[in-house]
């Protein structure tokens, strides 16, 4: 090896020793990551006037970073006094050792942290408000993903490794433009750098020999720094080695963060000890804030503790919200302290406007207090409506002050026709609805309908589904018996086709001969039809009449009884086979007497 000029070498090593070993650190500006080179010059105390293009470069390879400082001390630098000691001027032999294969790794992108629970810890308020550490500079690592950062700065994996002890002094005579086959540490102009096996200067967050380091944009090693990535927090020692600070509250540029057991920073709502804390998307602790998340109201105090208060009023961005006794947002009409308030689907209280809620109309004042007009006309969104005596908005055909009107969810309807519960109405241009005669001949006598069923029972009609026999004087099936009864009672014209359960479903949907009712409404003379519309033919459907509601009996042509029979309703309508059952009432049905007691 060529003898190194001791005076020049010691002068250059003075800067790097001061940068790496000094106990006084400056504080980096918040925009450090936008202008890394300028800040590094200030952090390391570099005197631009003292540097020149012909400064000697000491290069280290094959060994780790610790050897740099050891060599500096051996060259005669006293880190205590800062004075130059006499160095051994003995000429060293020019030797070249084979480099071990270095291990330099690009770090995988950090992953987002889900909400986790940490037991047995205190919050920042209990930790003396997380005192700001002003003894260390702060570096903001790029907030984009690490993969993107690596592509930008050109960090590559190395194929060789350094030794455990440190880097040996490299032969200065080696050509600087010659590519080297091993990674190496070196110092230049009082800064420490690292090259990978391809000769590329390491930049950004880099792992070398199992240890993490951070290199600025100019490739200089950063020491005594706080390093905050998109997902993790590290602290760099005076040798530049990064250490993850785990399960800790940390302060970076006036913002507070919390790390987990791996040094990753938390985001979102996280439980720490017995309290919940709210961290934003960047991981910074949120304080003094009210917000809505997942249908709940959250309040964050000045220490960052977050709560989900119950029965709590909150104003957020000019809108008023209220939480219920379960912490969820109140929606719809609610009475609170004797006043009624109405909240929309997003939980916002209505003020100075009308609002529909659960079938009722409310008018609200500037305080949000709501009133519900009853038996009254009103306009909403340009449409005209009317409420009944209970304050509900009316839909369908209703009699109001002696006249009939037809309403839908879009208000009063005009110039249309509608059938309701078997009665057809024509609506004029003023919204007045007038019933129209269905023009079905016959007495429409319900007693005559049931009379046909009992007459067939006494005549001994048997069960037969054959198309010829089901309309004969000696046989019928369930649906032909119902149709023949309706013709006899005047609800269908003489000569009408004898249908089946499928056509009964269609008549019920049309609403002119019969209309659907609920099970709770059934009474004497109503019709039951079991099966699924479109698939009720044959054994997949059944029909008959409700006979005695008090005794819950029916009269029907039964295959099991091979004739017209009176049986219990439950279990005999086809429901025992799992078929659904619908109920219908005949339009305009009249009865001279009821058969509630007939057996």
């Amino acid at each position: 090896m060529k003898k190194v000029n001791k005076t020049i070498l010691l002068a250059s090593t003075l800067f790097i020793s001061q940068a790496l070993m000094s106990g006084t650190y400056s504080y980096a500006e918040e925009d450090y990551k936008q202008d890394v080179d300028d800040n590094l010059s200030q952090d390391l105390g570099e005197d631009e006037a003292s540097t020149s293009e012909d400064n000697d470069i000491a290069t280290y390879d094959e060994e780790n970073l610790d050897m740099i400082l050891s060599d500096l001390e051996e060259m005669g630098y006293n880190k205590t006094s800062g004075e130059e000691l006499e160095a051994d001027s003995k000429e060293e032999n020019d030797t070249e050792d084979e480099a071990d294969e270095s291990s330099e790794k690009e770090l995988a992108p950090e992953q987002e942290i889900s909400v986790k629970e940490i037991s047995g810890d205190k919050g920042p308020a209990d930790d003396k408000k997380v005192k700001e550490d002003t003894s260390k500079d702060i570096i903001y690592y790029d907030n984009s993903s690490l993969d993107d950062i690596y592509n930008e700065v050109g960090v590559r994996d190395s194929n060789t490794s350094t030794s455990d002890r440190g880097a040996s002094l490299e032969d200065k005579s080696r050509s600087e433009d010659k590519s080297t086959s091993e990674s190496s540490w070196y110092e230049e102009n009082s800064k420490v750098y690292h090259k990978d096996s391809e000769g590329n200067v390491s930049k950004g967050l880099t792992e070398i020999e199992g240890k993490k380091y951070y290199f600025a944009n100019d490739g200089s090693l950063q020491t005594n720094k706080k390093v905050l990535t998109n997902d993790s927090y590290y602290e760099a020692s005076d040798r530049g080695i990064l250490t993850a600070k785990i399960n800790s509250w940390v302060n970076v540029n006036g913002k507070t963060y919390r790390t987990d057991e791996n040094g990753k920073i938390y985001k979102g709502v996280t439980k720490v000890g017995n309290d919940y804390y709210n961290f934003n998307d960047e991981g910074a602790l949120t304080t003094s804030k009210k917000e809505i998340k997942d249908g709940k109201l959250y309040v964050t105090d000045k220490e960052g503790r977050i709560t989900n208060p119950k029965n709590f009023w909150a104003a957020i961005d000019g809108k008023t919200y209220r939480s219920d006794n379960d912490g969820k947002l109140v929606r719809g009409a609610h009475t609170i302290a004797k006043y009624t308030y109405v909240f929309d689907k997003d939980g916002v209280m209505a003020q100075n406007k009308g609002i529909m809620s659960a079938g009722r109309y409310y008018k609200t004042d500037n305080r949000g207090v709501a009133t519900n007009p009853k038996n009254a006309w009103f306009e909403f969104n340009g449409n005209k409506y009317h409420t009944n005596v209970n304050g509900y908005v009316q839909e369908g055909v209703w009699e109001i002050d002696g006249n009939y009107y037809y309403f839908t969810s879009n208000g009063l309807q005009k110039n249309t026709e509608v059938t309701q519960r078997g009665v057809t109405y024509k609506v004029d241009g003023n919204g007045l609805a007038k019933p129209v005669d269905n023009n079905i001949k016959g007495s429409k006598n319900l007693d005559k309908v049931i009379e046909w069923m009992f007459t067939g029972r006494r005549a001994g009609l048997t069960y037969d589904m054959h198309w010829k026999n089901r309309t004969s004087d000696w046989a019928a099936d369930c649906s032909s018996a119902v149709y023949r009864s309706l013709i006899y009672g005047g609800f269908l014209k003489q000569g009408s086709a004898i249908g089946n359960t499928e056509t009964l479903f269609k008549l019920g949907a049309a609403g002119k001969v019969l209309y659907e009712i609920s099970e709770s409404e059934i009474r004497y003379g109503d019709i039951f039809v079991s099966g699924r519309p479109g698939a009720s033919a044959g054994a997949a459907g059944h029909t008959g009449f409700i006979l005695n509601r008090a005794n819950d009996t029916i009269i029907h042509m039964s295959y099991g009884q091979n004739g017209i029979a009176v049986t219990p309703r439950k279990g005999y309508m086809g429901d025992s086979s799992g078929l659904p059952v619908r109920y219908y009432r005949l339009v305009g049905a009249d009865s001279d007497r009821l058969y509630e007691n007939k057996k």
Side-chain angles (χ1 to χ4, degrees):
M1 172 181 278
K2 190 181 297 182
K3 185 173 181 180
V4 179
N5 187 304
K6 178 176 70 176
T7 302
I8 295 176
L9 180 58
L10 289 177
S12 65
T13 56
L14 175 59
F15 288 97
I16 186 61
S17 301
Q18 290 175 334
L20 292 176
M21 307 183 66
S22 173
T24 303
Y25 314 117
S26 62
Y27 193 88
E29 294 296 328
E30 190 169 8
D31 60 353
Y32 179 83
K33 60 182 179 181
Q34 277 78 35
D35 193 7
V36 175
D37 292 340
D38 292 342
N39 283 314
L40 283 178
S41 297
Q42 297 173 13
D43 290 345
L44 293 174
E46 180 181 344
D47 184 357
E48 294 180 2
S50 67
T51 61
S52 65
E53 294 182 359
D54 59 350
N55 278 345
D56 287 354
I57 299 176
T59 305
Y60 297 80
D61 62 3
E62 299 178 354
E63 299 181 349
N64 62 25
L65 183 61
D66 292 340
M67 190 56 189
I68 294 176
L69 295 179
S70 299
D71 287 347
L72 291 174
E73 293 178 9
E74 292 177 4
M75 294 298 294
Y77 174 67
N78 187 322
K79 64 181 179 181
T80 302
S81 65
E83 297 179 356
E84 181 180 329
L85 299 180
E86 182 164 341
D88 188 357
S89 62
K90 179 176 68 172
E91 227 178 277
E92 296 179 13
N93 292 329
D94 187 8
T95 59
E96 184 172 340
D97 298 330
E98 267 187 23
D100 295 327
E101 191 174 19
S102 65
S103 174
E104 178 182 359
K105 302 177 182 177
E106 294 181 2
L107 299 180
E110 306 288 355
Q111 301 298 316
E112 290 188 6
I113 306 302
S114 58
V115 175
K116 297 180 70 176
E117 184 171 316
I118 309 169
S119 60
D121 205 343
K122 299 180 180 179
D126 300 321
D127 197 15
K128 298 182 179 180
K129 305 294 186 296
V130 191
K131 289 184 178 179
E132 184 174 340
D133 182 3
T134 59
S135 66
K136 295 184 178 181
D137 293 331
I138 294 179
I139 287 180
Y140 268 111
Y141 193 55
D142 196 335
N143 282 334
S144 60
S145 73
L146 294 181
D147 283 338
D148 294 336
I149 295 168
Y150 291 157
N151 290 334
E152 179 181 348
V153 301
V155 175
R156 298 187 177 92
D157 290 335
S158 69
N159 297 317
T160 59
S161 61
T162 59
S163 66
D164 292 335
R165 181 173 176 274
S168 62
L169 188 62
E170 190 176 42
D171 185 0
K172 245 182 102 176
S173 64
R174 179 178 299 177
S175 175
E176 294 183 12
D177 60 355
K178 179 181 178 182
S179 72
T180 177
S181 61
E182 64 274 342
S183 65
S184 62
W185 291 96
Y186 66 98
E187 65 91 12
E188 179 180 352
N189 295 332
S190 303
K191 297 181 181 180
V192 177
Y193 300 85
H194 180 270
K195 285 185 178 180
D196 63 17
S197 61
E198 297 180 3
N200 299 307
V201 177
S202 298
K203 295 180 182 180
L205 195 63
T206 307
E207 185 172 322
I208 305 170
E209 284 294 323
K211 296 178 182 179
K212 293 179 182 178
Y213 300 86
Y214 183 78
F215 298 90
N217 289 342
D218 68 347
S220 60
L221 176 68
Q222 300 300 289
T223 61
N224 298 308
K225 305 285 185 181
K226 293 179 178 179
V227 178
L228 182 67
T229 74
N230 185 43
D231 290 294
S232 298
Y233 172 82
Y234 303 94
E235 291 185 356
S237 69
D238 56 1
R239 303 297 179 91
I241 299 173
L242 298 183
T243 302
K245 193 170 184 180
I246 65 173
N247 295 327
S248 301
W249 293 97
V250 296
N251 190 290
V252 179
N253 244 17
K255 297 181 180 179
T256 301
Y257 301 82
R258 173 72 193 194
T259 62
D260 67 5
E261 63 273 12
N262 297 311
K264 293 183 180 294
I265 56 176
Y266 283 111
K267 297 177 183 179
V269 178
T270 304
K271 187 175 183 182
V272 182
N274 295 322
D275 296 315
Y276 286 91
Y277 294 86
N278 191 7
F279 301 92
N280 65 20
D281 293 340
E282 286 72 42
L285 182 68
T286 300
T287 60
S288 303
K289 186 177 182 179
K290 297 173 185 175
E291 57 188 329
I292 305 299
K293 283 187 178 182
D294 300 325
K296 292 185 177 181
L297 172 66
Y298 291 98
V299 177
T300 305
D301 65 18
K302 62 181 180 179
E303 305 297 344
R305 287 185 291 261
I306 186 170
T307 58
N308 173 218
K310 315 296 188 293
N311 301 314
F312 186 82
W313 288 101
I316 303 174
D317 297 330
K319 299 176 182 179
T320 302
Y321 300 85
R322 169 82 179 189
S323 63
D324 211 340
N325 52 18
D326 58 0
K328 296 180 179 180
L329 290 181
V330 172
R331 292 183 174 88
H334 275 253
T335 300
I336 303 171
K338 82 179 182 179
Y339 294 108
T340 298
Y341 302 88
V342 185
F343 303 83
D344 65 18
K345 61 182 179 61
D346 297 318
V348 179
M349 184 182 74
Q351 294 173 268
N352 287 322
K353 67 178 183 180
I355 185 172
M356 296 277 198
S357 178
R360 292 185 178 185
Y361 170 77
Y362 296 89
K363 186 176 181 180
T364 63
D365 62 17
N366 61 347
R367 301 168 301 163
V369 177
T371 55
N372 172 219
K374 297 175 176 61
N375 195 26
W377 289 94
F378 68 92
E379 287 192 6
F380 179 70
N381 290 340
N383 297 317
K384 196 171 183 178
Y385 297 84
H386 193 272
T387 57
N388 64 15
V389 294
N390 296 314
Y392 286 95
V393 179
Q394 294 175 306
E395 290 190 27
V397 178
W398 290 93
E399 182 181 2
I400 302 172
D401 298 330
N403 294 315
Y404 288 95
Y405 299 88
Y406 173 49
F407 301 90
T408 68
S409 58
N410 294 319
L412 181 67
Q413 301 299 298
K414 300 177 181 180
N415 298 316
T416 187
E417 183 176 298
V418 61
T419 299
Q420 179 174 289
R421 300 182 77 85
V423 179
T424 299
Y425 298 85
K426 284 188 176 181
V427 185
D428 65 18
N430 296 317
L432 291 173
K434 296 182 179 180
V436 178
D437 186 3
N438 287 341
N439 195 29
I440 300 177
K441 297 184 181 299
S443 63
K444 297 183 182 178
N445 191 301
L446 192 57
D447 290 331
K448 291 185 69 65
V449 171
I450 301 301
E451 179 183 330
W452 189 96
M453 295 293 289
F454 276 100
T455 300
R457 183 189 187 196
R458 288 192 297 270
L461 266 64
T462 58
Y463 190 93
D464 196 328
M465 291 180 64
H466 191 275
W467 66 274
K468 289 184 178 180
N469 297 335
R470 66 193 295 264
T471 58
S472 66
D473 292 338
W474 62 87
D477 61 10
C478 63
S479 54
S480 68
V482 168
Y483 267 91
R484 293 163 73 176
S485 296
L486 295 180
I487 293 172
Y488 184 76
F491 290 92
L492 292 175
K493 297 178 181 179
Q494 292 291 331
S496 294
I498 305 300
N500 52 30
T501 52
E502 286 296 303
T503 55
L504 284 173
F505 280 132
K506 292 179 181 179
L507 284 177
K512 293 186 176 182
V513 177
L514 57 152
Y515 58 90
E516 189 170 0
I517 60 174
S518 66
E519 183 179 11
S520 62
E521 296 178 276
I522 59 175
R523 69 184 185 192
Y524 161 77
D526 290 337
I527 299 173
F528 70 86
V529 185
S530 66
R532 295 173 176 82
S536 66
H542 190 51
T543 186
F545 295 95
I546 303 297
L547 183 59
N548 188 310
R549 183 67 180 91
N551 295 333
D552 205 15
T553 56
I554 58 176
I555 185 169
H556 58 123
M557 170 59 79
S558 169
Y559 171 79
Q561 304 284 336
N562 194 26
I564 297 175
V566 175
T567 66
R569 179 174 66 93
K570 291 289 187 179
Y572 289 84
M573 299 180 294
D575 52 325
S576 61
S577 300
L579 297 177
V581 181
R582 297 188 182 190
Y583 300 92
Y584 299 91
R585 181 160 296 163
L586 290 164
V587 176
D590 186 22
S591 173
D592 295 333
R593 58 191 179 90
L594 297 177
Y595 283 74
E596 294 294 333
N597 299 317
K598 187 174 181 64
K599 297 181 180 178

